Amino acid sequence: HVQLVESGGGSVQPGGALRLSCAYSGVISFISCMGWFRQAPGKEAEGVAMIDRDGIRNYAAAVKGRFTISKDTAENTLDLQMNSLQPEDTAIYYCAAGSISWADTAYKYWGQGTQVTVS
């Protein structure tokens, strides 16, 4: 049974920082990638950052240089450090586990989401 639980969302002023964390359990060998997605009101979900089982990271162009994804296999956590936040980063952020892809359909397991508001 795979379970993902996000924490760390909140409200911040433009230019501020937040760190999201995802505690995962039951993630087994067929999971090749874990990532963070976000969905803003009235918009489709979009991939933000991903890290594969070899530790290779990829970022969406909109967040590259500002966000950092990291995975601690000892603690079973997936983190997203978000710096220089802007109002357009406002969204619900989701932790996901699945196959390497920017498509949300490639991710079978999802957390409940955590709200990030920048204003």
Side-chain angles (χ1 to χ4, degrees):
H1 178 65
V2 178
Q3 189 171 19
L4 307 173
V5 180
E6 302 99 334
S7 61
S11 296
V12 66
Q13 293 183 343
L18 283 173
R19 187 176 184 89
L20 306 183
S21 187
C22 172
Y24 61 87
S25 61
V27 177
I28 60 178
S29 60
F30 65 83
I31 298 296
S32 60
C33 188
M34 295 191 71
W36 288 94
F37 284 75
R38 67 185 181 187
Q39 187 166 23
K43 295 186 177 181
E44 293 184 355
E46 61 174 350
V48 174
M50 67 175 77
I51 183 168
D52 67 18
R53 67 177 66 184
D54 295 323
I56 297 174
R57 299 168 172 83
N58 282 286
Y59 298 93
V63 307
K64 199 168 186 179
R66 300 188 297 125
F67 291 11
T68 301
I69 189 171
S70 61
K71 185 179 176 185
D72 187 330
T73 55
E75 297 293 329
N76 285 359
T77 56
L78 179 76
D79 289 351
L80 185 69
Q81 177 66 42
M82 305 185 295
N83 298 329
S84 302
L85 284 162
Q86 299 301 320
E88 52 266 34
D89 295 315
T90 295
I92 299 174
Y93 283 70
Y94 297 90
C95 172
S99 302
I100 300 174
S101 175
W102 283 116
D104 56 358
T105 51
Y107 291 78
K108 183 175 181 180
Y109 303 100
W110 292 81
Q112 82 287 355
T114 185
Q115 177 71 48
V116 171
T117 302
V118 185
S119 65

